[in-house]
Amino acid sequence: EGNHPDDYSRLTYRKLLEEVCRFANVLKEHGVRKGDRVSIYMPMVLELPVAMLACARIGAVHSIVFAGFSSDSLAERMNDCKAKVLLTADGAWRGEKALPLKALCDEALEKCETLGHHVDACIVVAHMNRVTPGKEGLDELVIPWNDDRDFWWHQEMENQEPACYPEWMEAEDPLFMLYTSGSTGKPKGVLHTTAGYLLYASTTFKLVFDYKPDDIYWCTADIGWITGHTYVVYGPLANGATSVMFEGTPFFPDNDRYWQVVNKYKVNQFYTAPTAIRALMKFGDEPVKKHDLSSLRVLGSVGEPINPEAWLWYYRLVGQEKCSIVDTFWQTETGGHVITPLPGATPMKPGSASFPFFGVKPILLDEGGKEIEGEGEGYLVFSRPWPGMMRTLFNNHPRFESTYFSKFPGYYCTGDGARRDADGYLWITGRVDDMLNVSGHLMSTAEVESVLTKHSQVSEAAVVARKFIK
């Protein structure tokens, strides 16, 4: 589904395979080999999953940078992973705003050169002229071009064979890397491997969303984030699922766009973020009520703890009190859901991520590293590995060890706090480095945000910790 409601297209599994093979051959022509890194800076267009899977087919490691990031961020990430090729689009619409992606890429490529790394080629999808403009009357985007380095995607694909023999990979060979912003220092290149990640993406998708043949599934996330990698591309495709991919925003052309898309495609599983839910709540019930959402069976939440008020709105209005809500906790580093309810199996509590996924062993520790039994609140850590967890930080294993394993030796430290209630349910309280000490009581920023958003005139709140100086 495009940015504009008039724009939509479909891709079958067979056509996807042919396109992937063609583009894999394009990459090979540009000298990309097993283990090489390919940077991708694209909007939510069908060429994006094609590019990812083409990299996977020839053993190249894709590194996607969200297409809302600055040219500085893109340059820094291309330089860190030593990208051989950059894939992008000439531009994109986000609502009524035109994004000059190619111009941003040119800036990033120049900055990358000054950092000491040269990217061999930039392959560009011609996107702007094939879609309906988000706003009429704007000047046409100027597409900067360098004949020695830049290539149009459609021209490169023209004479390629729709067959490409896959590169055989070891289970622990890298599949992709994805940068996650460190709260301090430069971004961390989280590296995921081939077999474990795919197994975990496939299993969590099938069980957490209760996916059945002929269901229509929709995750609203951008592929530039881990949610898009696991639950827009790899998880659904590994299960042969039919899913919706969305290029637009919840508010364009109107505030009912999500519900219009659910109705249009008769979506059964819908997965979005609490931020989007809270933003849509402020427009009232009418935008939701004017669409038929009776096809929905499972509603998912991802990205941050969902406050009970948003959970109840989601359950009562969107789900019409008939849908299971899966409030999923996981991270870029975990590869897939690690704490989540299972639809129809886990009694729901508004705002609780509930219980660990199969094979995952969460533990709560106090500041001294002592395990908290029963009810209590502390650092959320995991005591044993699972297939989808990250294997290292690209080219920086010492930082991998110090960031995730040094605070509590023998445990993977999530950096989040959690509370366990009397029934054993886990409630994620937010980042531990953002805990607030109020008269000796520890409070998480998520708890303060939850209280603020209860006010009828507050639709969204962000709370950050600040050191108190007398």
Side-chain angles (χ1 to χ4, degrees):
E1 174 84 3
N3 177 64
H4 194 282
D6 290 347
D7 298 334
Y8 60 92
S9 53
R10 291 164 192 264
L11 195 60
T12 64
Y13 273 79
R14 169 140 191 188
K15 179 70 172 166
L16 176 63
L17 175 61
E18 289 176 356
E19 292 293 294
V20 166
C21 287
R22 281 195 179 96
F23 194 67
N25 290 328
V26 170
L27 290 174
K28 290 205 292 196
E29 276 190 4
H30 283 278
V32 178
R33 299 289 176 263
K34 179 179 176 178
D36 288 341
R37 274 78 60 203
V38 174
S39 285
I40 304 176
Y41 186 75
M42 275 193 192
M44 287 286 282
V45 293
L46 290 174
E47 286 86 355
L48 177 46
V50 168
M52 295 165 73
L53 297 170
C55 289
R57 195 165 189 85
I58 62 172
V61 180
H62 60 73
S63 170
I64 298 180
V65 180
F66 171 57
F69 278 2
S70 68
S71 57
D72 285 334
S73 299
L74 176 57
E76 184 180 33
R77 286 156 174 77
M78 285 193 296
N79 178 57
D80 187 72
C81 77
K82 301 294 179 256
K84 194 171 184 78
V85 173
L86 170 62
L87 312 177
T88 189
D90 52 0
W93 289 97
R94 184 147 183 83
E96 295 186 340
K97 187 178 179 185
L99 307 176
L101 299 183
K102 178 61 170 64
L104 287 165
C105 284
D106 278 26
E107 286 176 25
L109 288 161
E110 279 178 35
K111 288 170 184 167
C112 202
E113 291 273 358
T114 63
L115 293 169
H117 175 64
H118 172 73
V119 179
D120 294 349
C122 179
I123 302 175
V124 186
V125 174
H127 182 53
M128 292 299 272
N129 287 335
R130 68 183 180 184
V131 295
T132 309
K135 191 175 187 179
E136 296 294 345
L138 292 183
D139 292 339
E140 200 169 309
L141 275 186
V142 177
I143 314 298
W145 203 260
N146 175 343
D147 284 331
D148 296 330
R149 182 198 64 207
D150 298 340
F151 303 87
W152 286 112
W153 175 294
H154 60 278
Q155 290 174 357
E156 294 294 289
M157 292 280 272
E158 267 168 16
N159 299 312
Q160 297 295 344
E161 282 289 315
C164 173
Y165 192 73
E167 186 75 38
W168 282 95
M169 307 295 283
E170 295 290 332
E172 288 296 290
D173 283 342
L175 175 63
F176 69 86
M177 52 192 290
L178 182 59
Y179 284 90
T180 179
S181 314
S183 46
T184 57
K186 67 176 192 171
K188 308 185 289 276
V190 170
L191 192 82
H192 281 289
T193 55
T194 303
Y197 170 81
L198 282 170
L199 171 71
Y200 204 69
S202 174
T203 310
T204 49
F205 171 81
K206 185 178 171 65
L207 298 178
V208 173
F209 297 112
D210 189 31
Y211 187 83
K212 303 278 196 294
D214 301 325
D215 280 352
I216 309 291
Y217 160 85
W218 179 25
C219 168
T220 67
D222 192 287
I223 292 172
W225 308 110
I226 187 65
T227 305
H229 281 61
T230 307
Y231 298 114
V232 175
V233 181
Y234 287 112
L237 291 176
N239 281 279
T242 301
S243 53
V244 178
M245 194 172 141
F246 180 55
E247 192 189 348
T249 81
F251 317 112
F252 178 80
D254 290 301
N255 300 323
D256 63 342
R257 184 69 187 279
Y258 273 3
W259 322 124
Q260 180 246 324
V261 173
V262 168
N263 184 16
K264 178 177 178 178
Y265 295 107
K266 301 293 176 242
V267 171
N268 304 113
Q269 293 91 357
F270 177 69
Y271 195 30
T272 195
T275 306
I277 295 165
R278 287 193 294 269
L280 292 163
M281 279 170 70
K282 71 182 180 188
F283 301 115
D285 298 356
E286 199 48 46
V288 185
K289 285 181 172 172
K290 68 182 187 184
H291 295 284
D292 177 8
L293 307 182
S294 59
S295 59
L296 288 170
R297 205 173 70 240
V298 178
L299 301 173
S301 166
V302 60
E304 61 186 294
I306 184 169
N307 52 306
E309 190 192 16
W311 192 102
L312 289 165
W313 185 86
Y314 200 25
Y315 177 70
R316 289 171 180 159
L317 193 68
V318 180
Q320 296 158 14
E321 299 189 22
K322 297 198 303 272
C323 295
S324 292
I325 292 189
V326 287
D327 175 8
T328 60
F329 169 77
W330 60 297
Q331 303 172 308
T332 304
E333 294 89 341
T334 71
H337 306 138
V338 281
I339 301 175
T340 176
L342 294 176
T346 310
M348 298 182 290
K349 287 192 181 188
S352 170
S354 71
F355 301 113
F357 191 72
F358 303 113
V360 176
K361 197 171 178 194
I363 285 176
L364 299 183
L365 299 178
D366 65 17
E367 188 65 55
K370 185 171 178 292
E371 186 173 342
I372 298 164
E373 306 276 359
E375 280 185 77
E377 186 170 334
Y379 289 88
L380 176 63
V381 302
F382 295 110
S383 64
R384 69 177 181 213
W386 58 98
M389 75 181 297
M390 67 187 291
R391 298 302 194 263
T392 188
L393 292 174
F394 183 75
N395 266 356
N396 201 344
H397 201 70
R399 189 179 180 194
F400 170 68
E401 291 181 359
S402 65
T403 303
Y404 302 102
F405 299 96
S406 63
K407 186 169 179 66
F408 301 111
Y411 297 98
Y412 167 85
C413 186
T414 62
D416 283 296
R419 172 172 63 83
R420 190 190 294 115
D421 68 17
D423 300 320
Y425 281 68
L426 288 165
W427 303 70
I428 309 300
T429 53
R431 301 300 291 171
V432 283
D433 47 10
D434 276 350
M435 292 301 278
L436 311 170
N437 189 335
V438 183
S439 307
H441 296 281
L442 281 183
M443 260 191 321
S444 73
T445 52
E447 288 172 294
V448 183
E449 287 167 357
S450 186
V451 171
L452 291 171
T453 52
K454 280 180 181 166
H455 194 286
S456 60
Q457 290 182 294
V458 177
S459 63
E460 184 62 287
V463 174
V464 291
R466 184 180 174 200
K467 202 168 183 67
F468 176 68
I469 301 162
K470 286 182 179 175

